[in-house]
Amino acid sequence: MIETISRTGYAFLRYLATRLLRIDLMLLALVVTLTTIGFIALFSAGYSFPWRIEGQIRNIAVAGVVMLVVSCIPVKAFQKATVPIFIVGCVLLLLTHFFGVTVKGATRWLNVGVRIQPSELMKLAVPMMLAWYYNVRGENVCNWDHLTAFIIMAVPVGLIVKQPDLGTSILVLIAGASVIFFAGLSKRILVSLTGILILSMPVIWSLMHDYQRQRVLTLLDPSADPLGKGFHILQALIAIGSGGFSGKGWMEGTQAHLDFIPERTSDFLFAVFSEEFGFVGNLVLLALYTALIGRSFYIAAFAETRFSRLLAGAIGCIFFTYTFVNMGMVSGILPVVGVPLPFMSYGGTALLILGVCTGILLSVSAESKH
């Protein structure tokens, strides 16, 4: 018995050593660099709120441990767990609809001893489920397979829209749609769906909640209500513009320190960063995010299985969507939808999801042949 346990323990340690030796150092370095830059910017934005600084240190530590643990799990284990995770996620969304906690008019939370937000789970569960489905169907998929995939995706997206949570539903939709696209969706169908979406805009507009329509109207003309709905965007734009070419310097930003920028440690952290580090800092930040997204797609291209390729590609799209949507809404080119800047903004749940995504990419990379 002792000899068997010893052999098992030795084999496990050898497996962990092998996984750690094959870790993708470039991906890990990019994530660590972005997280460090984010903490530096967050410290400046929220030094008057020490509990937020302490909370972010805890969030980063937990997300880092989760990332390393997930990176040591074989991709096949994720594949086997996909269907149960997706079903549990959908059940939790249904329970949230009937028994959820309503905060500020939205029923997004479920009390199971502690408050959880099931929609956050679906950001990863939906692309995992679609990657699993296409892997089962094989390489020769047909239009009916794509239709089935759309139906699979529509169930959780519809439940999230119902809460209502426009930002999360968009993220889940894009993550799932990216898997369908990578699985071989034809250009003809893609163009047709785009046309249908454009023609459906009046219907979509009529179905939107008042606060959602107001966000779009504020995007088009934030100056119409400069002290109300347009205040967030206008102050963020002032911060970005006042940063100039090289920025005012770390801890020297006035918009954040004088409390003009709302949610400056979370959704609008990019405005704080832009004011303090300017155009040059933004170029560096864009280069790092571009490298992160590019590395994700590189890992996807060399993944061993169809499931790994589709899932890694979807994670690359998640990183891109988070980055583009956050910078877009802070810069006034997209409506405010509450999407954090990846690895930088304050938030335990968002960092945990991103840590799991990074861990999966590291696992895929460790098992690939490149």
Side-chain angles (χ1 to χ4, degrees):
M1 175 66 72
I2 296 177
E3 185 178 350
T4 302
I5 294 175
S6 299
R7 284 200 302 267
T8 303
Y10 174 74
F12 178 70
L13 291 175
R14 186 176 179 180
Y15 169 78
L16 287 180
T18 302
R19 301 285 292 198
L20 292 175
L21 288 173
R22 300 187 64 183
I23 201 166
D24 194 309
L25 294 178
M26 181 179 292
L27 176 64
L28 187 61
L30 287 167
V31 170
V32 170
T33 301
L34 285 168
T35 304
T36 303
I37 292 174
F39 184 77
I40 290 171
L42 189 143
F43 185 90
S44 176
Y47 69 89
S48 56
F49 308 106
W51 59 89
R52 286 230 157 179
I53 305 300
E54 295 169 2
Q56 187 70 347
I57 293 174
R58 182 174 60 252
N59 294 337
I60 292 172
V62 171
V65 171
V66 169
M67 178 189 70
L68 292 176
V69 171
V70 171
S71 69
C72 294
I73 299 174
V75 177
K76 287 184 178 180
F78 294 114
Q79 190 172 338
K80 291 179 180 179
T82 292
V83 176
I85 290 174
F86 181 79
I87 293 174
V88 168
C90 288
V91 170
L92 289 175
L93 285 176
L94 279 172
L95 292 175
T96 302
H97 177 70
F98 292 106
F99 308 106
V101 178
T102 301
V103 179
K104 295 182 179 180
T107 309
R108 303 171 186 172
W109 300 88
L110 185 65
N111 195 335
V112 291
V114 293
R115 281 192 181 184
I116 62 172
Q117 192 172 358
S119 58
E120 291 293 328
L121 173 64
M122 305 313 290
K123 291 178 181 178
L124 193 54
V126 168
M128 284 179 65
M129 183 63 194
L130 294 178
W132 175 88
Y133 172 75
Y134 280 113
N135 185 70
V136 171
R137 297 301 299 164
E139 295 291 340
N140 298 319
V141 297
C142 62
N143 291 337
W144 287 109
D145 293 319
H146 295 314
L147 178 60
T148 303
F150 273 110
I151 294 172
I152 292 172
M153 179 177 63
V155 173
V157 170
L159 290 171
I160 296 170
V161 169
K162 187 69 175 176
Q163 290 181 348
D165 190 348
L166 181 62
T168 302
S169 62
I170 290 174
L171 291 175
V172 174
L173 179 64
I174 292 175
S178 65
V179 175
I180 298 174
F181 174 76
F182 291 138
L185 186 68
S186 68
K187 293 181 180 178
R188 180 173 58 84
I189 296 178
L190 185 62
V191 171
S192 299
L193 290 174
T194 303
I196 292 172
L197 178 62
I198 293 173
L199 293 174
S200 302
M201 284 300 177
V203 177
I204 295 173
W205 179 263
S206 66
L207 295 175
M208 291 173 67
H209 293 266
D210 289 339
Y211 81 93
Q212 294 169 343
R213 286 197 290 265
Q214 187 60 52
R215 286 180 178 180
V216 177
L217 294 174
T218 300
L219 168 69
L220 297 175
D221 186 14
S223 61
D225 188 11
L227 298 179
K229 302 296 184 182
F231 184 80
H232 293 196
I233 295 299
L234 291 175
Q235 296 304 318
L237 290 175
I238 291 171
I240 294 172
S242 64
F245 183 74
S246 58
K248 295 179 178 178
W250 186 52
M251 304 284 287
E252 298 298 327
T254 55
Q255 288 295 109
H257 296 161
L258 295 176
D259 293 334
F260 284 108
I261 300 178
E263 304 297 335
R264 59 182 183 267
T265 60
S266 53
D267 295 345
F268 284 80
L269 183 65
F270 178 63
V272 178
F273 179 87
S274 298
E275 184 180 22
E276 297 188 351
F277 297 98
F279 178 73
V280 174
N282 284 343
L283 283 181
V284 173
L285 197 62
L286 284 172
L288 289 170
Y289 277 119
T290 301
L292 173 68
I293 295 163
R295 190 63 183 176
S296 302
F297 288 139
Y298 178 83
I299 292 171
F302 288 91
E304 286 192 332
T305 66
R306 184 174 175 81
F307 174 82
S308 299
R309 289 195 301 272
L310 293 175
L311 183 55
I315 290 174
C317 287
I318 290 173
F319 289 162
F320 171 80
T321 304
Y322 267 73
T323 305
F324 175 74
V325 171
N326 180 271
M327 291 184 174
M329 74 177 190
V330 175
S331 303
I333 62 175
L334 290 175
V336 176
V337 291
V339 176
L341 195 60
F343 301 104
M344 292 181 61
S345 298
Y346 176 85
T349 303
L351 274 175
L352 187 61
I353 294 294
L354 291 169
V356 173
C357 288
T358 306
I360 291 175
L361 282 177
L362 291 172
S363 178
V364 172
S365 177
E367 295 185 7
S368 63
K369 297 179 180 179
H370 72 278

